Each structure stands twice: as structure tokens, then as C-alpha cells.
């Protein structure tokens, strides 16, 4: 199935998100959302992301949706 919400991070966005992960103090949910976006940008499937990060597929789908709609 073709993805409706494609995550395509600009170089600056990717650099910012990776910096936030290294930056320290951040809640687990926020860390997971950033990891989801980075992996989605790399072309990972929702199923693979969900399994790798131990989250539900709906979480991955919602994260994609929120990112694309912002």
C-alpha cells in the first residue's frame, strides 16, 4: 500500500531532530516521536518502525500524519 503521509525531512530538520536526541532532558514519548520521524524519513515501513521502537503501528501512523499536516 502506498503511504499517504510521506515524511521527507529537510537537512536542517533532520539535523535539528538528531541534535534534540543527543541533547538530553526529554520525555520518552518525545524521543519515540523523533525516532519515528527519522526512521520514516529513511524509508522504513510503519511495521518495521513500530517493531524496532516497541510502539503501536497507529502511533507511527499518527506521528506521520501530524508531521505532514503541520
Amino acid at each position: 500500500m502506498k503511504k499517504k503521509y510521506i515524511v521527507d525531512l529537510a537537512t536542517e530538520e533532520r539535523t535539528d531532530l538528531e541534535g534534540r536526541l543527543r541533547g538530553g532532558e526529554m520525555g520518552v514519548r518525545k524521543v519515540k516521536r523523533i525516532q519515528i520521524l527519522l526512521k520514516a524519513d529513511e524509508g522504513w515501513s510503519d511495521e518495521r518502525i513500530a517493531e524496532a521502537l516497541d510502539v503501536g503501528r497507529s502511533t507511527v501512523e499518527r506521528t506521520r500524519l501530524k508531521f505532514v499536516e503541520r
Side-chain angles (χ1 to χ4, degrees):
M1 182 172 96
K2 185 94 170 110
K3 283 282 158 217
K4 185 174 179 182
Y5 300 104
I6 305 296
V7 174
D8 185 19
L9 298 172
T11 304
E12 304 81 35
E13 290 174 314
R14 176 170 270 285
T15 302
D16 177 57
L17 291 175
E18 290 171 340
R20 289 183 193 197
L21 284 180
R22 287 190 297 272
E25 300 299 314
M26 186 182 331
V28 173
R29 287 182 65 185
K30 191 167 244 178
V31 168
K32 293 279 187 185
R33 299 306 187 271
I34 290 173
Q35 291 171 328
I36 288 168
L37 291 175
L38 291 172
K39 292 190 181 318
D41 182 54
E42 293 170 9
W44 286 37
S45 69
D46 288 358
E47 294 80 13
R48 186 173 171 206
I49 294 169
E51 187 176 309
L53 299 178
D54 196 29
V55 296
R57 204 173 102 197
S58 61
T59 299
V60 176
E61 292 168 354
R62 276 193 316 273
T63 302
R64 281 182 184 272
L65 171 68
K66 287 179 182 179
F67 175 79
V68 170
E69 287 185 340
R70 68 155 170 84

